[in-house]
Amino acid sequence: MSPDRVAVIGLGFVGLTSAAVFADLGAKVYGVNRNLQKNKAIQMGKPGFFEPNLTSLLKKVLKKGSLTATTDLALAVKKSSIIFICVNTPSSESGAIDLSYVRDVALDIGKAVKPSDGYKVIVVKSTVVPGTTEKVVRPILAKASGKKSRKDLGVAANPEFLREGSAVYDSYHPDRIVIGGGDSKATSFLERFYNNMYPKNTPPIIKASTATGEMIKYASNAFLATKISYINTLANIATRIQGVDIEVVANAMGLDHRIGKLFLKAGPGYGGSCFPKDVKALIGFGRDIGYRAKVLESVDHLNERQPCEVIRLAQNIVGPINNKHFSILGLAFKKDTDDIRSAVSVKIIENLLSEGAKVTVYDPLAMNNVRDKFGSKIKYGDTPQKCLKDSDCCLVLTEWNIFRKLKPRDFIKHMKNPVVVDARRIFNPEEFIGKMRFSAIGLGLTSDAEEEERRTQNETWEKPALAVNAIVKTDEDELVIVKRSNHPFQGYWSLPGGFVECGETVEQSLKREVKEETGLKTNPGRIVGVYSDPKRNPEKHVISVLMEAELVSGALRKKSREISDVKTVSKKSLPKKMAFDHLKMLKDYLEN
Ligand code: UDX
């Protein structure tokens, strides 16, 4: 069968764009999706999400008859010689990837392949951790199809690098094509397909082992995420001192060919469906094989906290958030998309609401998605100007071009108190400073007075810290304790727990900390005590909240960070020496 008859399983963002572009470049494509309604919409040229140029391309290939959307996976497999798996690989609760869709589809494909069928190659385009294609997908296919020989059934990994907002362009002009394949027949088959698709400017084709192919995708995304967290780290230093502008720093750095200027734009943190998930998946993968990817842990940690930097900049100007009215310009995780998956805007809105602020938002495309999430908890402006109306502070969170046209007078005219925090560096600070209160990610302080003022304010923001510790009961009598190996708690047993991160509720942080330290899943229970003991960590004036958490499931195992041991003890045999005041706190609890 011709290698140009292909099936694309999964018509999400990657699947549908690839299917439409292959169909335009000369392949006969069967796009498979379980949802009949969605397929009907696709057949009418409606992708179901916003992506520049995709609708017109879809209409073109549908008219040409080179793309068909169907629910019939077996038919698509029968008619095709290359079957691309393009289903989602979401994060599981631990951050590791959830392969259930990939497994399900592999099984369905395996069942659909008939012994009499000619040679077929099953290609994993979904982002999967190294080893998945050979160790998970191939065995499922072989068992379900009965075709054990590589001569009859090929398997390859072929990761996709397209970006939202420029997915169609990227698919026509890939920087490189990566083919990870364990057998040369499958690799050559796929290479022939791509040579046919891009007959003129064939992109470099990298042929590698399957696991290497899979790794290239993670390596690329995690590196780009690292570049962003790196520049954000420098930006956060810049905003605490006088006179440094991170934009100028990044431009100068980028002129060094070894560094490159792309992905050095400081901002409110990366979002979207790939970077946050892929960085976490690589950390989780490392952990599962006994390696702690500390660089990536820091990249992820910094990114989780970066939205707090935006709020910190706002607080520096407007003071406590409670009862303030915030206008948010930009909700999508980046411009030219309506996608709000892992968008910074969502984290910031949640944080502002939990602090008692009023929020009004505007985005050219993502309003409906945000409305589905927040409903009447926030207000929606039809235009940037209406969004700004009567607000105390404006946060610019997405770099949409229409926002660049706004001038200081627009903010002064519409806002109650004109204050702008430019988290995307779309404005020229010189135009704003002096006319209104203005702050931006990575923009240094402008005077000694400002430095002094902000230094005092920062102290109130950083402190006091809230610590949470949990009494995790495995049954009525037993509870879980952990031994810490970090200074100054080294060697002491204590209750699992840690600190509340910015933007988290006490319950959320407790659940996260217990899971990170012990691997146990818990349901946060009731607060059993609030302790304020300046001796405990005088520098931070720690206030400790002790909770009684209900154990959901999971075996005991030490999981992360500074924990050297985890054990279950009877309430009657608590260690005599426990870190800080935990013994006292526990006794209070047990006695009441
Ligand atoms: C990314 C990869 O670029 C792509 O190759 C892969 O296939 C999927 O993941 P995408 O998520 O669509 O693509 O967006 P991208 O343009 O990479 O941006 C991701 C996030 O990083 C956005 O939130 C963006 O605003 C942020 N970003 C990007 C920065 O904060 N600074 C930068 O310099 C670049």
Side-chain angles (χ1 to χ4, degrees):
M1 203 185 285
S2 148
D4 297 349
R5 295 176 78 91
V6 304
V8 175
I9 319 290
L11 294 181
F13 175 73
V14 168
L16 188 59
T17 311
S18 305
V21 172
F22 291 156
D24 188 42
L25 292 175
K28 168 81 186 145
V29 184
Y30 296 87
V32 181
N33 193 63
R34 283 200 182 137
N35 185 327
L36 186 64
Q37 293 312 319
K38 187 171 170 168
N39 288 352
K40 280 188 182 157
I42 291 173
Q43 286 293 139
M44 289 191 303
K46 294 180 187 159
F49 52 87
F50 177 82
E51 182 58 40
N53 306 318
L54 186 56
T55 304
S56 53
L57 175 65
L58 208 49
K59 288 191 173 146
K60 181 180 167 197
V61 293
L62 287 165
K63 201 168 161 202
K64 205 165 94 175
S66 53
L67 172 69
T68 314
T70 173
T71 52
D72 193 343
L73 183 138
L75 177 81
V77 169
K78 184 179 161 53
K79 299 259 188 201
S80 309
S81 54
I82 300 181
I83 295 125
F84 290 99
I85 298 180
C86 293
V87 293
N88 203 2
T89 48
S91 291
S92 67
E93 236 187 82
S94 68
I97 64 165
D98 174 355
L99 288 175
S100 47
Y101 298 123
V102 172
R103 286 179 213 271
D104 290 352
V105 164
L107 186 64
D108 290 345
I109 297 171
K111 284 183 192 158
V113 173
K114 300 283 170 266
S116 58
D117 284 353
Y119 183 69
K120 290 183 194 297
V121 187
I122 319 302
V123 183
V124 179
K125 233 184 205 319
S126 304
T127 302
V128 292
V129 291
T132 307
T133 303
E134 284 297 339
K135 292 195 180 132
V136 179
V137 176
R138 189 189 283 280
I140 295 176
L141 286 166
K143 191 165 173 213
S145 68
K147 286 188 174 229
K148 296 223 159 61
S149 153
R150 287 173 186 230
K151 274 191 237 135
D152 296 338
L153 194 70
V155 173
N158 171 220
E160 182 50 63
F161 301 96
L162 52 80
R163 295 162 297 174
E164 291 189 32
S166 51
V168 173
Y169 176 88
D170 289 351
S171 301
Y172 283 108
H173 308 95
D175 286 342
R176 76 298 208 187
I177 289 165
V178 173
I179 302 178
D183 62 278
S184 56
K185 187 171 177 187
T187 315
S188 309
F189 204 75
L190 203 51
E191 190 178 15
R192 190 142 55 93
F193 168 75
Y194 279 117
N195 280 325
N196 289 351
M197 291 296 103
Y198 304 98
K200 282 188 195 140
N201 300 321
T202 315
I205 296 183
I206 316 296
K207 290 193 276 181
S209 72
T210 324
T212 302
E214 293 163 328
M215 186 64 150
I216 290 170
K217 169 72 189 232
Y218 279 104
S220 304
N221 275 1
F223 180 73
L224 293 172
T226 303
K227 260 186 123 174
I228 299 170
S229 277
Y230 176 77
I231 200 71
N232 284 343
T233 299
L234 298 188
N236 299 345
I237 292 174
T239 49
R240 287 166 171 81
I241 55 175
Q242 257 190 69
V244 177
D245 185 349
I246 205 65
E247 286 276 288
V248 182
V249 174
N251 277 335
M253 281 171 68
L255 290 173
D256 184 328
H257 294 299
R258 294 168 302 173
I259 298 175
K261 64 180 170 30
L262 300 177
F263 282 74
L264 275 185
K265 179 89 183 167
Y270 56 76
S273 62
C274 293
F275 287 176
K277 170 176 86 83
D278 292 352
V279 170
K280 285 184 198 318
L282 201 48
I283 295 169
F285 180 63
R287 210 186 288 134
D288 288 346
I289 54 170
Y291 181 72
R292 208 177 138 187
K294 278 198 180 183
V295 168
L296 299 178
E297 282 180 7
S298 299
V299 167
D300 181 50
H301 181 76
L302 189 283
N303 197 60
E304 291 288 333
R305 285 196 67 91
Q306 193 62 6
C308 302
E309 281 293 312
V310 182
I311 295 176
R312 189 184 73 85
L313 293 179
Q315 272 188 319
N316 281 343
I317 302 178
V318 301
I321 288 171
N322 187 21
N323 288 328
K324 294 277 174 359
H325 180 188
F326 282 81
S327 42
I328 295 187
L329 294 181
L331 303 167
F333 83 97
K334 65 175 192 179
K335 70 171 182 170
D336 295 335
T337 175
D338 62 356
D339 198 343
I340 58 161
R341 281 175 291 174
S342 296
V344 170
S345 64
V346 172
K347 292 184 197 164
I348 288 187
I349 294 170
E350 278 168 354
N351 191 303
L352 293 175
L353 291 178
S354 74
E355 297 275 334
K358 264 173 59 186
V359 177
T360 306
V361 300
Y362 173 77
D363 187 282
L365 282 180
M367 295 282 261
N368 285 343
N369 288 337
V370 169
R371 201 176 265 118
D372 288 347
K373 190 157 183 65
F374 289 101
S376 59
K377 286 190 200 145
I378 57 174
K379 293 209 159 62
Y380 305 85
D382 296 341
T383 61
Q385 287 76 6
K386 284 188 187 156
C387 174
L388 294 175
K389 197 161 171 21
D390 294 334
S391 61
D392 299 298
C393 181
C394 169
L395 309 179
V396 181
L397 299 185
T398 314
E399 69 283 22
W400 286 103
N401 289 343
I402 52 158
F403 300 154
R404 292 178 196 272
K405 294 185 189 136
L406 293 169
K407 299 282 170 217
R409 63 173 178 274
D410 295 306
F411 296 95
I412 293 166
K413 182 170 165 201
H414 296 286
M415 293 177 74
K416 189 158 91 194
N417 297 308
V419 173
V420 170
V421 176
D422 180 3
R424 290 290 189 172
R425 299 305 304 264
I426 60 170
F427 296 128
N428 176 0
E430 282 170 18
E431 251 189 68
F432 281 75
I433 291 170
K435 297 201 180 97
M436 54 185 291
R437 300 300 303 269
F438 179 84
S439 183
I441 287 281
L443 182 67
L445 304 171
T446 48
S447 65
D448 287 346
E450 203 185 22
E451 192 167 358
E452 179 53 27
E453 183 194 10
R454 296 204 179 166
R455 200 182 58 77
T456 350
Q457 283 165 344
N458 284 348
E459 275 173 20
T460 54
W461 165 251
E462 301 285 357
K463 302 166 190 177
L466 199 59
V468 280
N469 288 98
I471 299 167
V472 184
K473 294 193 287 186
T474 53
D475 65 18
E476 258 321 292
D477 182 53
E478 290 186 331
L479 53 94
V480 176
I481 55 175
V482 297
K483 189 176 267 181
R484 296 179 190 276
S485 51
N486 60 316
H487 179 79
F489 316 119
Q490 195 165 14
Y492 287 95
W493 288 100
S494 60
L495 294 167
F499 290 95
V500 179
E501 295 280 351
C502 168
E504 276 182 337
T505 62
V506 167
E507 285 82 2
Q508 285 167 337
S509 60
L510 183 91
K511 209 169 164 181
R512 177 183 53 74
E513 292 281 3
V514 170
K515 189 146 162 271
E516 280 178 17
E517 288 195 336
T518 65
L520 289 169
K521 281 192 195 162
T522 55
N523 273 339
R526 62 193 182 98
I527 293 178
V528 295
V530 178
Y531 298 80
S532 174
D533 181 358
K535 271 193 288 173
R536 197 174 148 190
N537 189 341
E539 261 183 63
K540 284 199 167 178
H541 311 297
V542 167
I543 294 174
S544 196
V545 177
L546 193 62
M547 290 191 109
E548 186 185 58
E550 177 200 334
L551 186 64
V552 183
S553 68
L556 271 184
R557 64 196 155 108
K558 54 186 163 175
K559 191 75 179 168
S560 76
R561 307 195 298 196
E562 311 92 354
I563 305 299
S564 65
D565 205 356
V566 181
K567 71 174 178 180
T568 307
V569 289
S570 153
K571 287 176 189 170
K572 292 177 198 111
S573 59
L574 296 172
K576 289 205 177 57
K577 217 171 126 190
M578 285 186 77
F580 15 84
D581 44 3
H582 280 185
L583 197 58
K584 181 178 170 297
M585 282 157 54
L586 262 175
K587 281 186 177 156
D588 280 358
Y589 162 75
L590 294 171
E591 279 159 20
N592 294 314

